[in-house]
């Protein structure tokens, strides 16, 4: 029963280790993949914002800002999702704050630009200068977004390496402990019955010798009693 019990404990431990490993894999997949998607959508939303502002700058038609409004809603939703997914990940949150700062700067710039266009206070020369400024700020935002994607790749690689190392250690520890436990159990299974058999045989032999000694002692006494009679 003891070897069977130890084998069951070992099997349960190994199964638990594999289950934890795969559940962690799924958990990181459920975090990292949405993060990558949300970051890409964030960049596309900012592209829509820029395109809407540029269209309004060229046409002065408020309908051109529909693309800007849609892009801004997308950016806000993606930022909220990224913030939630990065909760408890300080290494990634630092890059998110930098990205958020870039976005706030662009939003402020776009708001001032829209107000100047609506007021008719933007000359063609100023428009070209503003477009150049916008290109520089937007390129910095794109660079920060690319760095976030790179951070995500590094995070995934480091997490999988650490997780794999922990898994191998757990399985190795369980394997070694289970091997020695089973070896002890098997040695007990093979050795204890033989030891009990030897003890029983020794006790039986001692009992027989005691009986033979008692019989041998009773024999002379019986003959001496008959002679006296």
């Amino acid at each position: 029963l003891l070897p069977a019990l130890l084998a069951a404990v070992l099997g349960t431990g190994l199964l638990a280790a594999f289950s934890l490993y795969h559940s962690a894999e799924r958990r990181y997949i459920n975090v990292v993949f949405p993060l990558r998607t949300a970051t890409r959508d964030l960049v596309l939303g900012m592209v829509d914002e820029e395109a809407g502002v540029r269209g309004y700058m060229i046409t002065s038609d408020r309908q051109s800002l529909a693309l800007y409004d849609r892009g801004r809603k997308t950016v806000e939703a993606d930022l909220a999702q990224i913030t939630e997914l990065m909760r408890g990940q300080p290494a990634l949150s630092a890059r998110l704050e930098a990205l958020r700062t870039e976005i706030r700067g662009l939003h402020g710039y776009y708001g001032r630009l829209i107000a100047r266009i609506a007021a008719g206070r933007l000359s063609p020369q100023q428009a070209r200068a503003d477009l150049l400024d916008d290109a520089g700020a937007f390129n910095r935002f794109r660079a920060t977004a690319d760095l976030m994607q790179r951070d995500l790749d590094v995070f995934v690689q480091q997490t999988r390496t650490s997780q794999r190392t922990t898994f191998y250690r757990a399985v190795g520890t369980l394997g070694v402990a289970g091997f020695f436990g089973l070896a002890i159990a098997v040695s007990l299974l093979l050795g204890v019955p033989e030891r009990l058999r030897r003890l029983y045989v020794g006790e039986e032999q001692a009992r027989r010798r005691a009986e033979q000694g008692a019989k041998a002692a009773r024999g002379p006494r019986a003959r001496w009693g008959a002679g006296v009679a």
Side-chain angles (χ1 to χ4, degrees), residues 27-131:
R27 182 166 62 88
Y28 286 116
I29 286 174
N30 291 335
V31 170
V32 173
F33 283 178
L35 269 176
R36 288 174 173 170
T37 302
T39 304
R40 285 195 294 267
D41 290 346
L42 184 68
V43 174
L44 293 177
M46 292 301 297
V47 170
D48 288 342
E49 286 190 40
E50 184 189 36
V53 173
R54 285 176 179 267
Y56 183 51
M57 185 184 296
I58 295 172
T59 64
S60 298
D61 185 0
R62 294 289 301 183
Q63 293 183 354
S64 302
L65 291 176
L67 185 60
Y68 167 80
D69 294 333
R70 185 170 67 246
R72 182 141 186 173
K73 291 179 180 178
T74 299
V75 168
E76 291 174 354
D78 289 333
L79 276 177
Q81 183 182 11
I82 292 171
T83 302
E84 182 64 27
L85 290 171
M86 284 189 177
R87 194 179 302 278
Q89 303 294 339
L92 298 177
S93 299
R95 189 74 69 184
L96 175 61
E97 286 305 314
L99 193 65
R100 200 189 302 274
T101 300
E102 300 278 353
I103 292 173
R104 279 199 296 264
L106 284 171
H107 281 170
Y109 169 76
Y110 290 151
R112 291 189 299 271
L113 193 59
I114 291 172
R116 292 173 64 190
I117 295 171
R121 298 196 306 268
L122 191 66
S123 65
Q125 293 81 6
Q126 290 173 328
R128 285 193 294 271
D130 286 339
L131 288 176

Side-chain angles (χ1 to χ4, degrees), residues 154-214:
V154 173
F155 170 73
V156 171
Q157 187 61 37
Q158 290 176 346
T159 301
R160 285 184 171 174
T161 301
S162 175
Q163 181 181 331
R164 195 177 296 115
T165 301
T166 303
F167 171 72
Y168 288 153
R169 287 177 179 173
V171 171
T173 302
L174 283 171
V176 172
F179 172 78
F180 282 109
L182 287 174
I184 293 172
V186 171
S187 66
L188 290 174
L189 180 65
L190 298 177
V192 169
E194 178 62 21
R195 185 176 179 183
L196 291 175
R197 187 189 66 80
R198 290 178 182 176
L199 290 173
Y200 176 78
V201 169
E203 184 180 349
E204 185 69 16
Q205 291 175 350
R207 185 181 62 80
R208 289 178 180 177
R209 285 195 299 269
E211 290 178 353
Q212 290 173 357

Side-chain angles (χ1 to χ4, degrees), residues 128-140:
R128 285 193 294 271
D130 286 339
L131 288 176
L132 291 175
D133 292 339
D134 174 43
F138 192 83
N139 287 336
R140 289 192 296 273

